[in-house]
Amino acid sequence: MHPDDSDHQPLPANRPVRRTIDPASAERRVGRHRAPEPPRRGPARTVPGRIAVATGVTCCLGLIGVAGVGETGPAHLDVREAVADRAAADQRASRDFTRIAPPAAAALPPPAPTPSATPATKKPPRKPAPPKRPRPVAGLDQRQMDNAKAIVDVGREMKMPRRAMVVAVATAMQESDLYNLASDVLPESFDHPHQGSGSDHDSVGLFQQRPSSGWGTVAQLMRPAYAARAFYAALREVPGWADMSVTAAAQAVQVSAYPDAYARHEKRATTVVAALV
């Protein structure tokens, strides 16, 4: 077109005019908004092609496929018939349907309990029941019987014969009347558990043993078990004590100013020891 020509020049009479049924179709064929062309039917889109593809997949992968066909194609294959055909052709799967049970698993320990958000309140451990106190015999009260038991328990611990226990209990009956006594001469003796007091020099405890004579400290002699152990140890050192009378054996240990006083306690001491052993 020449530059001087008008934009609205009439078209030549012999130029054919192209018209489309849909005016919008011209826009879809121009520029980048060109409408995509309808898909072409390849071999996989046709009924015979789909059957061929499904058959190939079934043969290669060993799967039972059902080839879908169009509305005018044959009906879906029956799965049971396909399985029967595979069995007849001896085309077994890679694993048999028969399963062997695995060996029994070893017993596992129970899982540890999961700690709760709030720990359960634990019950305090039970305190051991206190040993039964021996029933008093031979006219003793409970405190005297408890002290006699302490003397007998130490004798059994030291594997002393019953005769030695009778001598020890009879000696304590004479010396302190089976009470753990402090001493008026030793004020510190009152700092320890006691059941009365005496005034015989610095003698303390069940056997009225004197710290100044080397029997032990005041604190030691105020403990019934220690005092009894000290008495048995001294009795062992007396030659032939087992063949002596109760009085003679006790006097050999205590060196008392009244040696015959122990004899009157022998019967009661024998009764007490018999009740405790």
Side-chain angles (χ1 to χ4, degrees), residues 158 160 230-242 244 249 252-253:
M158 297 177 66
M160 298 296 289
F231 179 85
Y232 285 125
L235 182 63
R236 275 178 173 172
E237 299 298 322
V238 177
W241 70 266
M244 296 179 181
V253 175

Side-chain angles (χ1 to χ4, degrees), residues 86-275:
R86 288 176 56 81
D90 197 23
Q91 295 178 357
R92 298 180 181 177
S94 60
R95 62 184 178 189
D96 194 11
F97 288 104
T98 303
R99 306 291 175 87
I100 301 176
L108 298 177
T114 304
S116 57
T118 56
T121 304
K122 292 184 178 180
K123 293 183 179 180
R126 272 188 173 185
K127 293 182 178 180
K132 293 182 179 180
R133 300 177 73 179
R135 184 176 62 85
V137 296
L140 303 181
D141 62 23
Q142 189 62 61
R143 292 182 300 172
Q144 291 171 307
M145 196 67 184
D146 291 343
N147 290 331
K149 182 178 184 301
I151 294 172
V152 171
D153 288 347
V154 172
R156 297 177 66 179
E157 179 186 336
M158 297 177 66
K159 302 187 183 307
M160 298 296 289
R162 180 177 293 194
R163 177 74 172 175
M165 300 176 193
V166 172
V167 172
V169 172
T171 301
M173 284 179 173
Q174 173 59 30
E175 297 291 350
S176 65
D177 200 14
L178 275 176
Y179 290 114
N180 192 28
L181 301 179
S183 174
D184 296 334
V185 178
L186 297 173
E188 61 178 301
S189 63
F190 289 92
D191 297 336
H192 307 282
H194 59 280
Q195 298 164 333
S197 64
S199 57
D200 183 9
H201 299 89
D202 58 344
S203 302
V204 294
L206 291 176
F207 295 90
Q208 290 293 283
Q209 295 153 328
R210 301 177 62 176
S212 61
S213 299
W215 286 94
T217 65
V218 175
Q220 290 171 334
L221 296 176
M222 290 297 294
R223 296 200 303 266
Y226 178 90
R229 188 170 288 106
F231 179 85
Y232 285 125
L235 182 63
R236 275 178 173 172
E237 299 298 322
V238 177
W241 70 266
D243 299 328
M244 296 179 181
S245 64
V246 171
T247 297
Q251 177 62 15
V253 175
Q254 297 295 107
V255 192
S256 172
Y258 306 94
D260 298 330
Y262 301 107
R264 62 192 178 113
H265 301 290
E266 181 176 356
K267 185 177 180 179
R268 294 175 65 213
T270 302
T271 302
V272 171
V273 171

